[in-house]
Amino acid sequence: KNEVEQSPQNLTAQEGEFITINCSYSVGISALHWLQQHPGGGIVSLFMLSSGKKKHGRLIATINIQEKHSSLHITASHPRDSAVYICAVPRGTGNQFYFGTGTSLTVIP
Amino acid sequence: DGGITQSPKYLFRKEGQNVTLSCEQNLNHDAMYWYRQDPGQGLRLIYYSQIVNDFQKGDIAEGYSVSREKKESFPLTVTSAQKNPTAFYLCASSKRLAGLANTGELFFGEGSRLTVL
């Protein structure tokens, strides 16, 4: 069993649609990370959150610690949002992480 | 601007050869990591280092070696002992927060794609 499960695995949306990507985890955590991997392969950190909600531009991340669940929302999606979105949670105390397998998002103009 | 630089971006290797992937950061981070990414799988940890002159094996260290002689550099050598080295390799770094578990943001390089011919 994977410690981090993401859904859906693949997602295709029309430009302008509201998008939700889900992440469930099975371990106790201090913070959860959302990462974006662009088509070239590089990864950037979008959010690190331990409670409630964070917003950055059109991206919103929420977390429910009791339910061990987090969601990443994209409002007014755009083709440049096409990427793989990865959820990660801490593992142990050595700055290590469990990573989800990612959600591949394609936004069509 | 601060960041992580990986090189080369693409690398081809013949079987039996060792190759070294470079990773340099100017973020003044103590912790550095090497991950391997294969299609359909999450990132897997190869090696990590929390401080200069110290590093630890991750989940899939066999066939790989690293060094941490300088704070800003963490090169990865893929040796001939690695049976299936074709993959995408990502280097990352984070601040080391002593006594706290995983509250540091991860910064990644652009990755290196290794293909064995």
Side-chain angles (χ1 to χ4, degrees):
Chain A
K1 179 185 183 299
N2 294 331
E3 288 78 6
V4 179
E5 299 278 358
Q6 287 186 236
S7 63
Q9 277 190 310
N10 297 285
L11 183 56
T12 301
Q14 293 288 333
E15 183 173 355
E17 284 186 10
F18 180 84
I19 288 162
T20 296
I21 298 170
N22 296 298
C23 175
S24 296
Y25 53 92
S26 59
V27 296
I29 65 171
S30 54
L32 179 143
H33 300 249
W34 280 103
L35 310 170
Q36 179 193 54
Q37 184 169 29
H38 59 73
I43 294 176
V44 295
S45 178
L46 296 175
F47 295 103
M48 182 174 68
L49 69 164
S50 55
S51 65
K53 178 167 75 174
K54 283 192 175 181
K55 185 175 188 287
H56 185 250
R58 295 179 295 104
L59 301 178
I60 303 167
T62 64
I63 189 168
N64 185 318
I65 294 292
Q66 287 72 32
E67 294 185 3
K68 295 187 174 179
H69 181 268
S70 176
S71 293
L72 177 67
H73 306 285
I74 305 176
T75 62
S77 59
H78 190 276
R80 64 175 174 267
D81 297 325
S82 298
V84 175
Y85 293 85
I86 300 169
C87 172
V89 300
R91 163 185 170 188
T93 57
N95 272 28
Q96 297 177 64
F97 298 85
Y98 293 113
F99 293 89
T101 55
T103 294
S104 179
L105 170 66
T106 302
V107 181
I108 300 170
Chain B
D1 285 351
I4 298 180
T5 302
Q6 287 187 239
S7 63
K9 191 168 177 66
Y10 299 96
L11 186 60
F12 298 89
R13 188 194 95 173
K14 294 181 180 179
E15 286 195 23
Q17 285 183 336
N18 292 353
V19 293
T20 297
L21 308 180
S22 170
C23 178
E24 304 277 332
Q25 55 100 356
N26 60 4
L27 300 166
N28 200 33
H29 285 169
D30 285 309
M32 297 187 74
Y33 317 82
W34 274 105
Y35 293 97
R36 171 176 170 145
Q37 188 177 39
D38 294 282
Q41 296 192 40
L43 297 174
R44 292 186 291 168
L45 183 64
I46 304 172
Y47 269 98
Y48 66 101
S49 168
Q50 300 281 41
I51 199 166
V52 174
N53 292 323
D54 183 60
F55 48 83
Q56 305 295 327
K57 292 182 179 180
D59 300 312
I60 55 167
E62 185 176 350
Y64 299 97
S65 66
V66 293
S67 63
R68 188 86 187 276
E69 296 176 2
K70 298 185 295 182
K71 186 175 184 177
E72 58 271 22
S73 178
F74 192 41
L76 173 74
T77 296
V78 184
T79 76
S80 56
Q82 169 49 235
K83 299 304 179 191
N84 185 22
T86 295
F88 189 63
Y89 293 88
L90 283 154
C91 178
S93 72
S94 69
K95 286 186 180 181
R96 179 172 183 242
L97 301 175
L100 296 176
N102 298 289
T103 57
E105 183 180 358
L106 276 175
F107 293 80
F108 286 86
E110 290 293 307
S112 295
R113 188 167 299 279
L114 172 63
T115 302
V116 173
L117 303 174

